[in-house]
Amino acid sequence: MAIAIRLSQAHIDAMIQHALEDAPIEACGLLATKDGAVVEVRRARNREASPYRFSIDPLETRKHEQAIDDSGAELAGFYHSHTGSPPIPSPTDIRMMGPFFGPPFVHFIIGVADLENPEVRAWYIDGPERIEQEFEVIP
Ligand SMILES: [Zn+2]
């Protein structure tokens, strides 16, 4: 596995915090990077409000993209939580994200099925494939 993205523990904690707050509904959001390192975790609304799936209104995604762009960063990926299953892209995730947000977009999944032991994994969704990626935790 190659390192697909770098981020601080604070950014990881922000995603975990969001996942815990919204459980059992799936939480979701966007990641902005500069030079391959995350500079901002932006919360989004899961319009499905479901424990089994998520989607972000395309208009909301566009609004976030614009704000990220305006700040001189770039949209690098997404995160969402799995509240009852392992942090592995589901067939629905692959169907929703594969056509639009393949590599180099990174998809973090925050597994909070066990609220005491959140599990964070990162993926590329390349067409019908899910390919796990490494991420580097930076100071
Ligand atoms: Zn999912």
Side-chain angles (χ1 to χ4, degrees), residues 81-107:
S81 63
H82 280 184
T83 56
S85 60
I88 298 169
S90 68
T92 306
D93 294 336
I94 291 169
R95 185 166 48 79
M96 299 288 287
M97 299 310 255
F100 308 108
F101 296 105
F105 289 103
V106 177
H107 300 270

PDB file of all heavy atoms in Angstrom, residues 81-107:
ATOM      1  N   SER A  81     -19.175   7.302   8.285  1.00  0.00           N
ATOM      2  CA  SER A  81     -19.062   6.301   9.339  1.00  0.00           C
ATOM      3  C   SER A  81     -19.853   5.049   8.982  1.00  0.00           C
ATOM      4  O   SER A  81     -20.796   5.109   8.193  1.00  0.00           O
ATOM      5  CB  SER A  81     -19.571   6.871  10.663  1.00  0.00           C
ATOM      6  OG  SER A  81     -20.943   7.198  10.574  1.00  0.00           O
ATOM      7  N   HIS A  82     -19.399   3.938   9.544  1.00  0.00           N
ATOM      8  CA  HIS A  82     -20.190   2.716   9.534  1.00  0.00           C
ATOM      9  C   HIS A  82     -20.523   2.417  10.984  1.00  0.00           C
ATOM     10  O   HIS A  82     -19.625   2.254  11.807  1.00  0.00           O
ATOM     11  CB  HIS A  82     -19.415   1.554   8.902  1.00  0.00           C
ATOM     12  CG  HIS A  82     -19.435   1.590   7.401  1.00  0.00           C
ATOM     13  ND1 HIS A  82     -18.883   0.603   6.617  1.00  0.00           N
ATOM     14  CD2 HIS A  82     -19.960   2.503   6.544  1.00  0.00           C
ATOM     15  CE1 HIS A  82     -19.068   0.913   5.326  1.00  0.00           C
ATOM     16  NE2 HIS A  82     -19.710   2.058   5.255  1.00  0.00           N
ATOM     17  N   THR A  83     -21.806   2.396  11.287  1.00  0.00           N
ATOM     18  CA  THR A  83     -22.207   2.303  12.685  1.00  0.00           C
ATOM     19  C   THR A  83     -22.578   0.876  13.097  1.00  0.00           C
ATOM     20  O   THR A  83     -22.792   0.625  14.279  1.00  0.00           O
ATOM     21  CB  THR A  83     -23.382   3.254  12.963  1.00  0.00           C
ATOM     22  OG1 THR A  83     -24.453   2.954  12.068  1.00  0.00           O
ATOM     23  CG2 THR A  83     -22.965   4.709  12.742  1.00  0.00           C
ATOM     24  N   GLY A  84     -22.652  -0.026  12.109  1.00  0.00           N
ATOM     25  CA  GLY A  84     -23.008  -1.395  12.470  1.00  0.00           C
ATOM     26  C   GLY A  84     -22.229  -2.439  11.703  1.00  0.00           C
ATOM     27  O   GLY A  84     -22.534  -3.626  11.785  1.00  0.00           O
ATOM     28  N   SER A  85     -21.232  -1.985  10.963  1.00  0.00           N
ATOM     29  CA  SER A  85     -20.472  -2.927  10.134  1.00  0.00           C
ATOM     30  C   SER A  85     -19.017  -2.452  10.064  1.00  0.00           C
ATOM     31  O   SER A  85     -18.718  -1.307  10.421  1.00  0.00           O
ATOM     32  CB  SER A  85     -21.081  -3.004   8.731  1.00  0.00           C
ATOM     33  OG  SER A  85     -21.051  -1.738   8.106  1.00  0.00           O
ATOM     34  N   PRO A  86     -18.097  -3.297   9.610  1.00  0.00           N
ATOM     35  CA  PRO A  86     -16.691  -2.900   9.537  1.00  0.00           C
ATOM     36  C   PRO A  86     -16.471  -1.736   8.562  1.00  0.00           C
ATOM     37  O   PRO A  86     -17.291  -1.527   7.654  1.00  0.00           O
ATOM     38  CB  PRO A  86     -15.980  -4.155   9.022  1.00  0.00           C
ATOM     39  CG  PRO A  86     -16.945  -5.279   9.205  1.00  0.00           C
ATOM     40  CD  PRO A  86     -18.311  -4.673   9.149  1.00  0.00           C
ATOM     41  N   PRO A  87     -15.380  -0.990   8.739  1.00  0.00           N
ATOM     42  CA  PRO A  87     -15.120   0.195   7.897  1.00  0.00           C
ATOM     43  C   PRO A  87     -14.565  -0.163   6.520  1.00  0.00           C
ATOM     44  O   PRO A  87     -13.445   0.198   6.158  1.00  0.00           O
ATOM     45  CB  PRO A  87     -14.129   1.008   8.733  1.00  0.00           C
ATOM     46  CG  PRO A  87     -13.449   0.023   9.599  1.00  0.00           C
ATOM     47  CD  PRO A  87     -14.416  -1.095   9.856  1.00  0.00           C
ATOM     48  N   ILE A  88     -15.377  -0.882   5.786  1.00  0.00           N
ATOM     49  CA  ILE A  88     -15.027  -1.345   4.440  1.00  0.00           C
ATOM     50  C   ILE A  88     -16.115  -0.833   3.502  1.00  0.00           C
ATOM     51  O   ILE A  88     -17.302  -0.931   3.833  1.00  0.00           O
ATOM     52  CB  ILE A  88     -14.985  -2.894   4.410  1.00  0.00           C
ATOM     53  CG1 ILE A  88     -13.907  -3.401   5.366  1.00  0.00           C
ATOM     54  CG2 ILE A  88     -14.790  -3.419   2.998  1.00  0.00           C
ATOM     55  CD1 ILE A  88     -13.960  -4.904   5.620  1.00  0.00           C
ATOM     56  N   PRO A  89     -15.757  -0.251   2.331  1.00  0.00           N
ATOM     57  CA  PRO A  89     -16.792   0.303   1.445  1.00  0.00           C
ATOM     58  C   PRO A  89     -17.869  -0.741   1.117  1.00  0.00           C
ATOM     59  O   PRO A  89     -17.555  -1.870   0.730  1.00  0.00           O
ATOM     60  CB  PRO A  89     -16.012   0.706   0.190  1.00  0.00           C
ATOM     61  CG  PRO A  89     -14.633   0.979   0.689  1.00  0.00           C
ATOM     62  CD  PRO A  89     -14.401  -0.017   1.795  1.00  0.00           C
ATOM     63  N   SER A  90     -19.109  -0.347   1.297  1.00  0.00           N
ATOM     64  CA  SER A  90     -20.231  -1.244   1.009  1.00  0.00           C
ATOM     65  C   SER A  90     -20.523  -1.202  -0.492  1.00  0.00           C
ATOM     66  O   SER A  90     -20.068  -0.289  -1.191  1.00  0.00           O
ATOM     67  CB  SER A  90     -21.465  -0.770   1.780  1.00  0.00           C
ATOM     68  OG  SER A  90     -21.895   0.474   1.257  1.00  0.00           O
ATOM     69  N   PRO A  91     -21.294  -2.151  -0.982  1.00  0.00           N
ATOM     70  CA  PRO A  91     -21.704  -2.086  -2.396  1.00  0.00           C
ATOM     71  C   PRO A  91     -22.381  -0.753  -2.729  1.00  0.00           C
ATOM     72  O   PRO A  91     -22.185  -0.214  -3.822  1.00  0.00           O
ATOM     73  CB  PRO A  91     -22.678  -3.261  -2.525  1.00  0.00           C
ATOM     74  CG  PRO A  91     -22.216  -4.244  -1.478  1.00  0.00           C
ATOM     75  CD  PRO A  91     -21.747  -3.394  -0.320  1.00  0.00           C
ATOM     76  N   THR A  92     -23.154  -0.206  -1.777  1.00  0.00           N
ATOM     77  CA  THR A  92     -23.797   1.093  -2.009  1.00  0.00           C
ATOM     78  C   THR A  92     -22.753   2.199  -2.107  1.00  0.00           C
ATOM     79  O   THR A  92     -22.826   3.065  -2.985  1.00  0.00           O
ATOM     80  CB  THR A  92     -24.781   1.425  -0.871  1.00  0.00           C
ATOM     81  OG1 THR A  92     -25.698   0.343  -0.729  1.00  0.00           O
ATOM     82  CG2 THR A  92     -25.555   2.703  -1.170  1.00  0.00           C
ATOM     83  N   ASP A  93     -21.752   2.195  -1.207  1.00  0.00           N
ATOM     84  CA  ASP A  93     -20.671   3.190  -1.276  1.00  0.00           C
ATOM     85  C   ASP A  93     -20.005   3.142  -2.642  1.00  0.00           C
ATOM     86  O   ASP A  93     -19.724   4.176  -3.258  1.00  0.00           O
ATOM     87  CB  ASP A  93     -19.598   2.905  -0.213  1.00  0.00           C
ATOM     88  CG  ASP A  93     -20.113   3.080   1.204  1.00  0.00           C
ATOM     89  OD1 ASP A  93     -21.092   3.818   1.393  1.00  0.00           O
ATOM     90  OD2 ASP A  93     -19.516   2.470   2.112  1.00  0.00           O
ATOM     91  N   ILE A  94     -19.746   1.930  -3.103  1.00  0.00           N
ATOM     92  CA  ILE A  94     -19.033   1.761  -4.372  1.00  0.00           C
ATOM     93  C   ILE A  94     -19.895   2.256  -5.530  1.00  0.00           C
ATOM     94  O   ILE A  94     -19.414   2.947  -6.426  1.00  0.00           O
ATOM     95  CB  ILE A  94     -18.627   0.276  -4.545  1.00  0.00           C
ATOM     96  CG1 ILE A  94     -17.544  -0.064  -3.515  1.00  0.00           C
ATOM     97  CG2 ILE A  94     -18.163  -0.013  -5.957  1.00  0.00           C
ATOM     98  CD1 ILE A  94     -17.243  -1.549  -3.392  1.00  0.00           C
ATOM     99  N   ARG A  95     -21.186   1.953  -5.449  1.00  0.00           N
ATOM    100  CA  ARG A  95     -22.091   2.374  -6.526  1.00  0.00           C
ATOM    101  C   ARG A  95     -22.225   3.899  -6.559  1.00  0.00           C
ATOM    102  O   ARG A  95     -22.253   4.511  -7.627  1.00  0.00           O
ATOM    103  CB  ARG A  95     -23.463   1.711  -6.308  1.00  0.00           C
ATOM    104  CG  ARG A  95     -24.462   1.947  -7.407  1.00  0.00           C
ATOM    105  CD  ARG A  95     -25.643   0.995  -7.267  1.00  0.00           C
ATOM    106  NE  ARG A  95     -26.186   0.954  -5.919  1.00  0.00           N
ATOM    107  CZ  ARG A  95     -27.003   1.889  -5.416  1.00  0.00           C
ATOM    108  NH1 ARG A  95     -27.376   2.914  -6.150  1.00  0.00           N
ATOM    109  NH2 ARG A  95     -27.454   1.779  -4.173  1.00  0.00           N
ATOM    110  N   MET A  96     -22.287   4.524  -5.355  1.00  0.00           N
ATOM    111  CA  MET A  96     -22.491   5.970  -5.287  1.00  0.00           C
ATOM    112  C   MET A  96     -21.225   6.755  -5.621  1.00  0.00           C
ATOM    113  O   MET A  96     -21.280   7.797  -6.268  1.00  0.00           O
ATOM    114  CB  MET A  96     -22.944   6.374  -3.875  1.00  0.00           C
ATOM    115  CG  MET A  96     -24.246   5.754  -3.410  1.00  0.00           C
ATOM    116  SD  MET A  96     -25.688   6.426  -4.252  1.00  0.00           S
ATOM    117  CE  MET A  96     -25.780   8.050  -3.475  1.00  0.00           C
ATOM    118  N   MET A  97     -20.070   6.288  -5.107  1.00  0.00           N
ATOM    119  CA  MET A  97     -18.858   7.090  -5.181  1.00  0.00           C
ATOM    120  C   MET A  97     -17.957   6.709  -6.363  1.00  0.00           C
ATOM    121  O   MET A  97     -17.243   7.556  -6.881  1.00  0.00           O
ATOM    122  CB  MET A  97     -18.061   6.962  -3.872  1.00  0.00           C
ATOM    123  CG  MET A  97     -18.815   7.445  -2.647  1.00  0.00           C
ATOM    124  SD  MET A  97     -19.551   9.096  -2.831  1.00  0.00           S
ATOM    125  CE  MET A  97     -18.427  10.089  -1.856  1.00  0.00           C
ATOM    126  N   GLY A  98     -18.011   5.441  -6.755  1.00  0.00           N
ATOM    127  CA  GLY A  98     -17.108   4.957  -7.798  1.00  0.00           C
ATOM    128  C   GLY A  98     -17.137   5.767  -9.080  1.00  0.00           C
ATOM    129  O   GLY A  98     -16.080   6.144  -9.605  1.00  0.00           O
ATOM    130  N   PRO A  99     -18.336   6.092  -9.579  1.00  0.00           N
ATOM    131  CA  PRO A  99     -18.377   6.777 -10.881  1.00  0.00           C
ATOM    132  C   PRO A  99     -17.857   8.214 -10.839  1.00  0.00           C
ATOM    133  O   PRO A  99     -17.446   8.741 -11.860  1.00  0.00           O
ATOM    134  CB  PRO A  99     -19.871   6.781 -11.223  1.00  0.00           C
ATOM    135  CG  PRO A  99     -20.493   5.732 -10.358  1.00  0.00           C
ATOM    136  CD  PRO A  99     -19.675   5.699  -9.108  1.00  0.00           C
ATOM    137  N   PHE A 100     -17.897   8.843  -9.648  1.00  0.00           N
ATOM    138  CA  PHE A 100     -17.594  10.278  -9.594  1.00  0.00           C
ATOM    139  C   PHE A 100     -16.303  10.587  -8.845  1.00  0.00           C
ATOM    140  O   PHE A 100     -15.655  11.581  -9.123  1.00  0.00           O
ATOM    141  CB  PHE A 100     -18.735  11.035  -8.907  1.00  0.00           C
ATOM    142  CG  PHE A 100     -20.072  10.744  -9.503  1.00  0.00           C
ATOM    143  CD1 PHE A 100     -21.003   9.981  -8.826  1.00  0.00           C
ATOM    144  CD2 PHE A 100     -20.389  11.222 -10.772  1.00  0.00           C
ATOM    145  CE1 PHE A 100     -22.236   9.706  -9.384  1.00  0.00           C
ATOM    146  CE2 PHE A 100     -21.620  10.949 -11.339  1.00  0.00           C
ATOM    147  CZ  PHE A 100     -22.554  10.185 -10.646  1.00  0.00           C
ATOM    148  N   PHE A 101     -15.994   9.773  -7.865  1.00  0.00           N
ATOM    149  CA  PHE A 101     -14.884  10.120  -6.971  1.00  0.00           C
ATOM    150  C   PHE A 101     -13.899   8.967  -6.829  1.00  0.00           C
ATOM    151  O   PHE A 101     -13.595   8.498  -5.744  1.00  0.00           O
ATOM    152  CB  PHE A 101     -15.420  10.577  -5.608  1.00  0.00           C
ATOM    153  CG  PHE A 101     -16.236  11.840  -5.700  1.00  0.00           C
ATOM    154  CD1 PHE A 101     -17.626  11.799  -5.608  1.00  0.00           C
ATOM    155  CD2 PHE A 101     -15.629  13.070  -5.902  1.00  0.00           C
ATOM    156  CE1 PHE A 101     -18.381  12.965  -5.702  1.00  0.00           C
ATOM    157  CE2 PHE A 101     -16.375  14.237  -6.005  1.00  0.00           C
ATOM    158  CZ  PHE A 101     -17.753  14.186  -5.910  1.00  0.00           C
ATOM    159  N   GLY A 102     -13.409   8.517  -7.978  1.00  0.00           N
ATOM    160  CA  GLY A 102     -12.350   7.508  -7.986  1.00  0.00           C
ATOM    161  C   GLY A 102     -11.027   8.129  -7.571  1.00  0.00           C
ATOM    162  O   GLY A 102     -10.969   9.306  -7.205  1.00  0.00           O
ATOM    163  N   PRO A 103      -9.928   7.358  -7.637  1.00  0.00           N
ATOM    164  CA  PRO A 103      -8.625   7.900  -7.288  1.00  0.00           C
ATOM    165  C   PRO A 103      -8.335   9.160  -8.109  1.00  0.00           C
ATOM    166  O   PRO A 103      -8.733   9.199  -9.275  1.00  0.00           O
ATOM    167  CB  PRO A 103      -7.661   6.773  -7.674  1.00  0.00           C
ATOM    168  CG  PRO A 103      -8.511   5.532  -7.696  1.00  0.00           C
ATOM    169  CD  PRO A 103      -9.876   5.974  -8.079  1.00  0.00           C
ATOM    170  N   PRO A 104      -7.685  10.186  -7.538  1.00  0.00           N
ATOM    171  CA  PRO A 104      -7.004  10.188  -6.236  1.00  0.00           C
ATOM    172  C   PRO A 104      -7.899  10.565  -5.046  1.00  0.00           C
ATOM    173  O   PRO A 104      -7.364  10.811  -3.967  1.00  0.00           O
ATOM    174  CB  PRO A 104      -5.917  11.248  -6.437  1.00  0.00           C
ATOM    175  CG  PRO A 104      -6.569  12.255  -7.336  1.00  0.00           C
ATOM    176  CD  PRO A 104      -7.455  11.444  -8.266  1.00  0.00           C
ATOM    177  N   PHE A 105      -9.224  10.621  -5.218  1.00  0.00           N
ATOM    178  CA  PHE A 105     -10.063  10.915  -4.048  1.00  0.00           C
ATOM    179  C   PHE A 105      -9.970   9.758  -3.042  1.00  0.00           C
ATOM    180  O   PHE A 105     -10.067   8.592  -3.432  1.00  0.00           O
ATOM    181  CB  PHE A 105     -11.520  11.132  -4.456  1.00  0.00           C
ATOM    182  CG  PHE A 105     -11.731  12.418  -5.195  1.00  0.00           C
ATOM    183  CD1 PHE A 105     -11.895  12.424  -6.577  1.00  0.00           C
ATOM    184  CD2 PHE A 105     -11.745  13.629  -4.518  1.00  0.00           C
ATOM    185  CE1 PHE A 105     -12.079  13.615  -7.270  1.00  0.00           C
ATOM    186  CE2 PHE A 105     -11.930  14.827  -5.204  1.00  0.00           C
ATOM    187  CZ  PHE A 105     -12.087  14.816  -6.585  1.00  0.00           C
ATOM    188  N   VAL A 106      -9.772  10.135  -1.788  1.00  0.00           N
ATOM    189  CA  VAL A 106      -9.638   9.151  -0.713  1.00  0.00           C
ATOM    190  C   VAL A 106     -10.942   9.101   0.072  1.00  0.00           C
ATOM    191  O   VAL A 106     -11.558  10.142   0.323  1.00  0.00           O
ATOM    192  CB  VAL A 106      -8.479   9.542   0.235  1.00  0.00           C
ATOM    193  CG1 VAL A 106      -8.375   8.555   1.399  1.00  0.00           C
ATOM    194  CG2 VAL A 106      -7.171   9.613  -0.526  1.00  0.00           C
ATOM    195  N   HIS A 107     -11.360   7.907   0.420  1.00  0.00           N
ATOM    196  CA  HIS A 107     -12.588   7.718   1.198  1.00  0.00           C
ATOM    197  C   HIS A 107     -12.234   7.100   2.551  1.00  0.00           C
ATOM    198  O   HIS A 107     -11.864   5.922   2.612  1.00  0.00           O
ATOM    199  CB  HIS A 107     -13.561   6.813   0.438  1.00  0.00           C
ATOM    200  CG  HIS A 107     -13.953   7.386  -0.897  1.00  0.00           C
ATOM    201  ND1 HIS A 107     -15.037   8.209  -1.049  1.00  0.00           N
ATOM    202  CD2 HIS A 107     -13.371   7.296  -2.114  1.00  0.00           C
ATOM    203  CE1 HIS A 107     -15.114   8.594  -2.322  1.00  0.00           C
ATOM    204  NE2 HIS A 107     -14.114   8.051  -2.984  1.00  0.00           N
TER     205      HIS A 107
END
